[in-house]
Each structure stands twice: as structure tokens, then as C-alpha cells.
Amino acid sequence: MEEKLETQAAALVAIDGATLTPLVRRALNSETLEIMDWDHDQLHGGAGTGNAVYRFAGQGRDQGQKLSWSLILKTVYPEGDAAQPATWNYCMREAAAYQSGWLADLPGGLAAPCCFSVVEHQGGSCWMWLEEVADEIGPNWPLEHYGLVARHAGQFNGAYLVDGPLPSWPWLSSGWLRHLVESSAPAMPLLRNSLDNALVRRWLPGDASDRRFRLWEDRGLYLDALDRLPQTLCHMDLFRRNLFARRTPGGDEQTVAIDWAYAGSGALGEELVPLIVGGLTFFEVGLDKAQALEEIAFEGYLQGLRDAGWRGDPRQVRLGYAAAASLRYKFNHLGRWLAVMLDENLHAMFSHTFGRPIGEVLDHVAQVGRLSDRLADEARELIDTLS
């Protein structure tokens, strides 16, 4: 792997004006622009994996006019299970989605960044040259905008519920949440043996650990219920940090979603979970606004489904949301969460990710966990009712 990373590093250094010029011309819709200068910074990733995001930016000149330009370079490297198309975290899925042309014209108010090039390099790495998208609202969205984003998500999901069978591309994820949850199985014994740890107790206070283990035993009930619901095509990770608000050239509001690496089939309503529960988990919305966020987003999503022509039972939507919310952030990378809590050397990195001390994060996540416990109870009632 080290040799492959060195090859990729050399390829990054070798990026020159001849490489960038056609990309920048596509980005600025110009056939005559000439690049004057550029620089690049790493935004995310790295850490010895080859998966990273870079920003290239500089100045150009077009028919005497000086222009600024920017591009996003996303690099991915197949390794281990992530190199297999059937896995939930298949690393080449986003590149395949761009190459298929699907992401260039999505239904409803959801869009993906423009992709200017997908390049496969020696050693197996794949580079995606993408449009840099800026949010036109800013970091702090009003709650009403979450409702609009949910409506766009409903329009997107609804289109695949009413317009025929789902696409059959082999790279799409299938059973994504089931695979994510089951990937936590090796960590469950470690969790049981770590309940005396002070940080684990903050993460699972009171009877939260007992509920977590009961939920694990009952996970099949919720996952099977999700499988019985209408299935649609989903982004699977529409949480705030992957979303940008902007307007189209015609003035229509649009939601641009980045990171399509999990895209695939999912249950009706499942798409809401990262927007609501993920937003709460990552401090994008305060817990004091949790109920309002859920109500606004749920109603927006229903409206989006109606926009697309879906006229089904809203209780099915509620079941899809509640059942998926019960599991997703309870068993999302469980092994990594435990590793952080049990290894002091990882605390600083974890705190940097959330922008808060680790204890504060764990207390906060514990409160979000109580909200998803409520949703688990609601999902159980809906399963009994709708069956």
C-alpha cells in the first residue's frame, strides 16, 4: 500500500497546466481560457489510505479578462472489502455513478456537483475532478430550510416509486443499512466488556446499555420491516455536512448533495434519518429544536413524495424513518466509537472532529440516543399496526 501511495503522491505533484486547463475550461464554460497560476490544499482524508479531498484554485485569463477558478479533486483507493461492488462501503461507487451519467440529471430539487473528469490511475486509484459548490445560506440553516431539503429528498425518492423499476446498475448499494448494522457484530462483545469504562458510561447512561443490547437482539425485526416497505433509490447520507443550498440559473432553490458513495436502494422514509438524527448528532441543530426539526422535515418529505406523484400511506413513511433511525446511529461504526473511548491517544482527534471535548460529545450523543429510543418504540408499534 505504501508503494501505491507514493505513486499517487507523485501523480499529484505531476499535475500541471496541461492537466488543469481542459478541466477549468469546462468548469467556466470557456474554450479559450488560459491558466495563469494555481495552488492546492488538502481538505479531508489522507491518513495513509489514499482517500482524500483536495481543492485546486487559481487565476486565469480569458480574452483579456482575469478570472478566478476552483476545482475539487476527490481521490479514492480500492482496498480490502471496500474494493468489492457488493459491499455497503464500495469505494468506487461514486465514480461509477458519475460515469453512468445518472448524477447529471436527478429528479426533483436534488442535484450532484458537476463532474468534469473521472480518471483511473496506475495502481488502482481513481480521481474525480468535481465542481466546487458554495452554500448560499451559510453554515447555520434556519429550520424551515431543512423542510425544503426534505421536500427535495422526497421528490428524489418519490420519482423512483412512481416511474417504473429501480435502476439495476451493479455498483448500487443494496441492503445498505443491514450491512452497516451487521458490521458492528464483532464490536458487541467488546461493548459488553467495557461498560465499566467512565466514557462508555457517559455514552450509555442509566438503562441505555440494556436498551442497546435489546435493540441488537431485535435488529432483525426492524430490518425485515424496512425490507417489506416500498423500496426507492436513495443517496443514503443526506446529512448537513454533505448538503449545499443554492439557486439554479432560473432562480429555483436547489439542494446539492456531495458524497454519493453509499447510493443505492433503501426503504421509503429511510433518507430522512441522516438529515434529522445525523443533524442532531453532529450539533448542526440544537437538541431543543429536535421535535420541530423532525416535524418540519417529515412534512417536507411527505410533500416531496406528493410532488412526485406518490399517494401511499404516510404511516409507511413514518415506519421507514423510525425503524431506520432506531438502528443507524446506534450501530454506526461501533468499533471505532469504542476504540476512541478506550484509547486516550485518540481523544484529541475525536474532539477535533466534533469541535468539542470528548465528554461533551458523549453526553450529547447519549441525549440523541434517547430520542432514537423513542423512535424504536414507535417503530415497534407501527410494525404491529401495519402488519
Side-chain angles (χ1 to χ4, degrees):
M1 182 63 181
E2 183 175 347
E3 181 179 348
K4 293 179 179 179
L5 290 176
E6 290 176 356
T7 300
Q8 178 166 302
L12 281 168
V13 172
I15 292 174
D16 56 14
T19 301
L20 292 170
T21 296
L23 299 169
V24 176
R25 286 179 174 179
R26 288 191 64 188
L28 296 184
N29 193 28
S30 167
E31 297 180 355
T32 56
L33 180 136
E34 297 296 335
I35 292 179
M36 298 166 57
D37 57 59
W38 72 88
D39 201 351
H40 75 275
D41 298 300
Q42 183 170 325
L43 303 180
H44 303 290
T49 66
N51 302 323
V53 178
Y54 304 87
R55 180 180 187 268
F56 282 71
Q59 301 290 319
R61 190 176 299 279
D62 189 11
Q63 299 183 13
Q65 183 181 5
K66 189 174 181 181
L67 300 172
S68 297
W69 60 267
S70 64
L71 298 168
I72 296 296
L73 170 62
K74 187 171 185 178
T75 65
V76 294
Y77 213 108
E79 186 179 22
D81 290 343
Q84 305 303 316
T87 56
W88 66 274
N89 60 340
Y90 176 48
C91 63
M92 305 295 283
R93 184 171 291 123
E94 185 174 26
Y98 276 116
Q99 289 174 312
S100 73
W102 168 53
L103 296 180
D105 187 23
L106 297 174
L110 200 65
C114 292
C115 180
F116 305 118
S117 179
V118 175
V119 184
E120 296 182 13
H121 285 267
Q122 182 180 0
S125 66
C126 180
W127 290 13
M128 290 171 278
W129 288 96
L130 305 171
E131 167 192 15
E132 182 178 28
V133 184
D135 192 286
E136 296 182 4
I137 295 177
N140 299 315
W141 282 356
L143 283 184
E144 292 73 17
H145 193 75
Y146 283 89
L148 178 64
V149 172
R151 184 172 183 173
H152 290 163
Q155 293 168 351
F156 170 65
N157 290 167
Y160 298 99
L161 291 169
V162 300
D163 290 340
L166 298 181
S168 58
W169 295 304
W171 43 264
L172 286 172
S173 65
S174 179
W176 183 88
L177 182 61
R178 184 181 292 271
H179 291 303
L180 174 69
V181 171
E182 294 298 341
S183 70
S184 289
M188 291 304 293
L190 176 61
L191 174 60
R192 192 175 292 277
N193 293 329
S194 304
L195 296 177
D196 289 337
N197 179 274
L199 290 178
V200 174
R201 289 199 303 272
R202 292 182 72 166
W203 183 54
L204 295 174
D207 67 346
S209 59
D210 292 336
R211 290 196 62 125
R212 186 69 54 95
F213 288 114
R214 286 199 301 270
L215 183 62
W216 176 253
E217 294 301 320
D218 292 340
R219 66 193 184 281
L221 175 71
Y222 297 93
L223 292 168
D224 292 345
L226 288 166
D227 288 344
R228 291 192 297 269
L229 289 171
Q231 302 295 300
T232 185
L233 206 54
C234 300
H235 176 283
M236 287 296 187
D237 204 17
L238 291 181
F239 87 119
R240 175 64 185 90
R241 298 185 186 186
N242 282 341
L243 301 171
F244 298 82
R246 75 175 180 191
R247 289 187 180 272
T248 67
D252 295 327
E253 290 184 291
Q254 185 180 64
T255 299
V256 181
I258 64 172
D259 199 354
W260 290 79
Y262 296 153
S265 60
L268 177 67
E270 189 173 345
E271 196 88 283
L272 277 173
V273 177
L275 184 65
I276 299 172
V277 184
L280 294 169
T281 299
F282 286 89
F283 296 89
E284 303 296 345
V285 180
L287 288 174
D288 59 321
K289 299 178 181 177
Q291 182 175 349
L293 171 65
E294 185 179 81
E295 292 174 354
I296 289 170
F298 191 78
E299 182 54 40
Y301 184 76
L302 284 177
Q303 184 59 56
L305 292 174
R306 298 186 195 107
D307 293 341
W310 186 80
R311 297 294 183 265
D313 187 346
R315 292 179 301 173
Q316 289 185 311
V317 184
R318 190 70 193 182
L319 173 56
Y321 162 64
S326 304
L327 298 170
R328 175 157 179 171
Y329 291 97
K330 293 292 184 68
F331 303 108
N332 184 16
H333 302 303
L334 178 61
R336 294 183 190 176
W337 279 83
L338 287 171
V340 166
M341 286 182 275
L342 299 176
D343 186 350
E344 291 185 3
N345 295 322
L346 300 177
H347 291 182
M349 177 191 68
F350 182 83
S351 297
H352 176 74
T353 299
F354 282 87
R356 290 168 171 80
I358 184 172
E360 181 182 340
V361 174
L362 296 175
D363 291 342
H364 175 83
V365 172
Q367 294 183 66
V368 177
R370 284 193 281 272
L371 295 176
S372 57
D373 286 340
R374 172 181 59 78
L375 290 168
D377 294 339
E378 181 183 351
R380 192 73 177 252
E381 293 177 4
L382 285 167
I383 291 171
D384 293 341
T385 301
L386 296 179
S387 63

